[in-house]
Amino acid sequence: MVRGIYVSATTPGSGKSLVALGLAEALHARTGRIGFFRPVVQGGDPAQDPMVTLIRTRFGLDESVCRGGLTMAEVRRLLANGEREEVRSRCVEAFTDIAAHCDVVIVEGTDVAGYDSAVEFELNISLANDLGCPVVAVLGAGHRTPEEVAGAVDVARREIAAAHGDLLAVIVNRATAEDREAVAAAIRPGARGPVYVLPELPEVSRPTTGEISGALGLRQLAGGADMEREVRGVKVAAMNVANFIGLLADGDLVIVPGDRADVMVGALASTLSPEFPVPSGMVLTGGITPDPHILPLLAQAPFPVFAYPEDTYHAARAVAEVRSEIWSGHRRKVASALGAWARYVDDAELLSRLDLPRPATTTPLRFLHELIARARAERQNIVLPEGNDIRILRAAEILHRRDVCGLTVLGNETQVRELAAANGISLDGITIVDPATSPLRQEFAEEYARLRAHKGVDLARALETMLDVSYFGTMMVQLGYQDGMVSGAAHTTAHTIRPALEFVKTKPGVAIVSSVFLMLMADHVLVYGDCAVNPDPNEQHLADIALASAETAAQFGVDPRVAMLSYSTGGSGSGQSVDKVRRATELVRERRPELAVEGPIQYDAAVDASIAASKLPGSNVAGQATVFIFPDLNTGNNTYKAVQQSSGAVAVGPVLQGLRKPVNDLSRGCTVEDIVNTVAITAVQAQG
């Protein structure tokens, strides 16, 4: 069984860290326990290596299975003293310690940079052989022609073969977008593994304002606190303000002497009108403090304003030398990297060539990774009606960068783009539709008037109704322009669901719309329903909720074993609420005889095998339930929150069920991550 995969650069600047991250993401979703090892790190402290820190944080790994080995300074000293075996033995020892606790270890080799790149390449292949790891060779396309890249791939194959390395795959990284297909076509087939070609990702290599600030030791004087703004260009103010503003573009870092009040005020024009570009930041040079009358204006800037003690020339030169890396950990960079990996690398084919164990447990992180992968596998289109909410726009950007689904955002386009630009968010590739000006409004109004004619709705009223983003977005789903909708960040649950209840309607045979939360426990997933919609369902509705929840569980990879919860187990109790649950259980069995269901049953008997053995011996649900149906909203809502807060479980939802087409609600306190997960869930529902 393969215990490790060695990611080795064959050229300087290959971008191998992106490959290591992509492999870690793919392996984490397909096997139980992953580890990460950097045999040689560039800095002085292996424990603080930025790539080790990124992997450890992203995948929740312990330091014992995610760490560095030797420093480059130590390796050079040992090699100079002829102690190559010491380097190899210490790396093997560290790898063995990590591998003892993992199913597979990603090993990221050295950067292959500088005067001793040939030595580093030879060392990497030797270490891969010592560790028994197949090699993923990473080659930077740089400014090479497609033919030159193909030649470099052949050279890498020959050199790895000559060193007796086991080549798993070659990944050509950082090809120009226009040359990517030509590069792929020029590469000659090889007998020792596939070759994948990834394009250069400007959004990964562009530094952020925070990275520039850190690299130059800048002091923030004023402006916004967002340090993740991408610096898309640099503009040095060396001309009058009228000419300067004409050259300024969104995302530019403005470098200006601290006494050029005219340029400062001109750059702030973006706060006054959406027609002006929004800089990513401003650096005031020369150690000059701006005029006291200007400082209050700078305080209103949506971007950070920094002070730099040296002159403009030195500031521009220092900024030009700052380069971002994937290990900076900025979520938008990580999203772009993983999106490119998913688009251009067939990791299922790549990993199928390895003998990897399947995980016996499902952690929250693994479930969410698999959720994104499933959404991406059969791409759907999701509409987000709340384009005036900054969380929605941030989530849309991440979803687009990760290539999860197609996205449409509703709202006044000028206002949406102004909000995005002011917060450094890119909406490239995301469709924006304004219901007030969309040609679809007439069609939607006519359909709404037809469907609601029995309620007295005429065309004039329908046209007015279609100005409501919730109604417009829901009609986009109803008529097939979109596959699903996610709303609720800025609207109530009732406002989100009402249009769907009016004209999307429930599935055949389903009486009510209900909800579940996917409760991501430490090593498994449970389904709780209904915790968000129906206050006091009757027995018929309770049966509907149980059947819909079992279907949702199966759709998300949970084997449904349904517990119909009550304060009594089996025939031990009676009373109106217990009898309701008992009758609902009978209805479920009548409608789905093959479904494993038990009720009434108490929560402890549903989850604990020893209690189940005494209270309901022989039950195929008791002690091993995965779907929990609460008798009323009061019980369900309080229980899911109690479990979430007390156990640290991750609650994903509410996931609406029972509708003919997927519409999902968000909490008004939702985070960007909540929105990303809910959109992915909606996309998976749309696939079904």
Side-chain angles (χ1 to χ4, degrees):
M1 180 180 294
V2 171
R3 300 306 299 273
I5 300 175
Y6 201 106
V7 180
S8 178
T10 64
T11 60
S14 64
K16 64 176 172 52
S17 293
L18 184 154
V19 175
L21 176 64
L23 272 173
E25 187 89 0
L27 287 165
H28 187 269
R30 287 170 173 79
T31 190
R33 302 164 300 168
I34 67 168
F36 183 79
F37 180 45
R38 288 203 74 187
V40 183
V41 302
Q42 293 293 329
D45 184 357
Q48 300 301 316
D49 178 76
M51 192 62 189
V52 170
T53 301
L54 171 63
I55 297 294
R56 185 186 299 154
T57 302
R58 180 167 182 79
F59 298 101
L61 302 181
D62 186 82
E63 291 182 17
S64 63
V65 297
C66 183
R67 55 193 170 103
L70 301 165
T71 68
M72 180 58 76
E74 288 179 295
V75 170
R76 285 171 175 158
R77 178 178 56 79
L78 290 169
L79 293 179
N81 292 336
E83 299 180 72
R84 176 179 288 268
E85 290 306 312
E86 177 68 10
V87 174
R88 296 168 69 173
S89 64
R90 286 171 64 177
C91 290
V92 170
E93 181 181 1
F95 174 82
T96 302
D97 288 344
I98 295 172
H101 305 287
C102 302
D103 296 315
V104 63
V105 181
I106 300 101
V107 184
E108 183 183 346
T110 65
D111 294 329
V112 188
Y115 68 92
D116 50 2
S117 58
V119 174
E120 287 188 47
F121 176 76
E122 191 275 331
L123 176 64
N124 281 320
I125 304 305
S126 295
L127 286 175
N129 290 341
D130 291 336
L131 305 180
C133 297
V135 174
V136 174
V138 188
L139 184 152
H143 299 290
R144 296 183 176 97
T145 66
E147 292 72 24
E148 289 170 338
V149 173
V153 170
D154 289 340
V155 170
R157 285 167 169 164
R158 286 196 301 270
E159 290 184 351
I160 293 171
H164 306 291
D166 179 11
L167 183 61
L168 180 65
V170 175
I171 295 183
V172 176
N173 199 8
R174 292 181 168 169
T176 61
E178 57 270 19
D179 283 348
R180 197 200 72 82
E181 292 186 4
V183 168
I187 294 171
R188 290 166 280 279
R192 304 186 67 203
V195 179
Y196 303 105
V197 182
L198 278 67
E200 174 73 61
L201 300 176
E203 60 269 35
V204 171
S205 58
R206 292 177 187 135
T208 63
T209 51
E211 288 171 324
I212 288 176
S213 174
L216 275 63
L218 301 178
R219 176 172 61 93
Q220 185 171 1
L221 281 178
D226 184 3
M227 296 297 167
E228 287 198 23
R229 288 173 173 267
E230 288 179 355
V231 176
R232 301 187 178 190
V234 177
K235 291 294 191 303
V236 178
M239 57 185 70
N240 68 52
V241 66
N243 291 326
F244 178 76
I245 292 299
L247 295 176
L248 189 64
D250 278 329
D252 279 345
L253 180 71
V254 176
I255 301 178
V256 56
D259 58 357
R260 288 292 303 273
D262 58 334
V263 173
M264 296 178 208
V265 173
L268 289 171
S270 60
T271 64
L272 305 175
S273 171
E275 297 177 3
F276 289 94
V278 181
S280 57
M282 188 184 298
V283 178
L284 310 183
T285 64
I288 304 171
T289 302
D291 185 282
H293 297 95
I294 299 299
L295 282 173
L297 295 176
L298 295 178
Q300 304 303 314
F303 48 81
V305 179
F306 303 104
Y308 186 69
E310 298 189 49
D311 60 37
T312 303
Y313 168 75
H314 286 94
R317 208 169 88 171
V319 166
E321 292 174 356
V322 178
R323 181 176 174 83
S324 182
E325 297 289 349
I326 190 66
W327 40 252
S328 66
H330 293 298
R331 59 185 177 183
R332 289 185 289 178
K333 293 181 184 296
V334 169
S336 294
L338 294 177
W341 176 270
R343 279 191 294 273
Y344 301 113
V345 178
D346 186 351
D347 53 33
E349 189 279 334
L350 178 64
L351 300 184
S352 69
R353 303 169 65 230
L354 305 174
D355 183 14
L356 297 172
R358 293 295 299 174
T361 61
T362 301
T363 65
L365 189 59
R366 180 171 296 110
F367 177 86
L368 294 175
H369 287 177
E370 290 179 349
L371 177 66
I372 294 294
R374 287 187 61 188
R376 186 189 288 129
E378 187 182 330
R379 191 178 174 87
Q380 303 292 304
N381 295 298
I382 306 299
V383 59
L384 305 173
E386 298 161 315
N388 59 344
D389 191 294
I390 189 63
R391 294 166 297 172
I392 293 291
L393 301 186
R394 291 193 190 282
E397 180 187 37
I398 290 172
L399 286 158
H400 175 70
R401 290 190 175 200
R402 291 201 66 177
D403 198 33
V404 175
C405 59
L407 292 164
T408 295
V409 171
L410 301 187
N412 178 282
E413 183 166 2
T414 299
Q415 294 175 1
V416 170
R417 293 198 181 279
E418 181 182 1
L419 179 62
N423 288 275
I425 298 170
S426 171
L427 296 181
D428 293 345
I430 297 170
T431 302
I432 301 173
V433 174
D434 184 354
T437 59
S438 172
L440 295 174
R441 182 181 166 206
Q442 180 72 27
E443 177 189 349
F444 290 2
E446 290 173 358
E447 179 66 6
Y448 182 68
R450 184 184 71 81
L451 293 172
R452 302 292 291 174
H454 64 289
K455 294 290 185 179
V457 175
D458 58 16
L459 183 58
R461 181 177 165 188
L463 281 166
E464 184 69 21
T465 300
M466 284 304 131
L467 290 174
D468 185 310
V469 291
S470 292
Y471 276 88
F472 190 94
T474 305
M475 190 61 81
M476 292 185 91
V477 178
Q478 169 71 4
L479 295 182
Y481 288 95
Q482 298 289 310
D483 300 306
M485 184 182 87
V486 173
S487 189
H491 293 89
T492 64
T493 295
H495 192 99
T496 298
I497 299 176
R498 186 183 299 112
L501 295 178
E502 287 186 8
F503 54 84
V504 173
K505 303 292 187 182
T506 57
K507 295 177 181 178
V510 177
I512 59 169
V513 174
S514 60
S515 73
V516 295
F517 279 89
L518 303 174
M519 302 297 292
L520 311 186
M521 314 303 283
D523 58 0
H524 61 289
V525 180
L526 302 177
V527 178
Y528 284 8
D530 177 0
C531 304
V533 178
N534 296 285
D536 189 18
N538 61 31
E539 60 198 63
Q540 192 80 35
H541 290 165
L542 205 57
D544 267 0
I545 293 169
L547 292 168
S549 299
E551 183 179 330
T552 299
Q555 189 172 27
F556 290 98
V558 178
D559 182 20
R561 295 186 294 274
V562 182
M564 307 290 287
L565 296 173
S566 176
Y567 60 79
S568 173
T569 295
S572 65
S574 61
Q576 183 177 355
S577 60
V578 178
D579 292 340
K580 177 180 77 169
V581 173
R582 185 175 288 115
R583 290 192 296 271
T585 305
E586 293 169 358
L587 288 172
V588 172
R589 287 176 174 149
E590 288 174 9
R591 292 168 63 181
R592 286 277 304 278
E594 79 286 358
L595 180 65
V597 60
E598 192 69 71
I601 186 172
Q602 292 162 289
Y603 195 98
D604 57 352
V607 298
D608 188 288
S610 60
I611 296 174
S614 63
K615 289 191 174 183
L616 276 178
S619 170
N620 62 348
V621 172
Q624 53 184 336
T626 58
V627 179
F628 299 81
I629 306 303
F630 297 95
D632 53 57
L633 185 59
N634 182 50
T635 308
N637 190 269
N638 279 294
T639 301
Y640 106 76
K641 288 180 178 176
V643 171
Q644 178 188 35
Q645 296 299 321
S646 301
S647 71
V650 178
V652 179
V655 180
L656 298 184
Q657 52 191 19
L659 289 167
R660 288 191 302 109
K661 298 190 177 185
V663 172
N664 275 311
D665 181 38
L666 296 163
S667 163
R668 276 171 285 176
C670 63
T671 65
V672 171
E673 288 72 21
D674 292 334
I675 298 167
V676 169
N677 294 336
T678 303
V679 170
I681 282 173
T682 308
V684 172
Q685 287 180 309
Q687 293 170 355

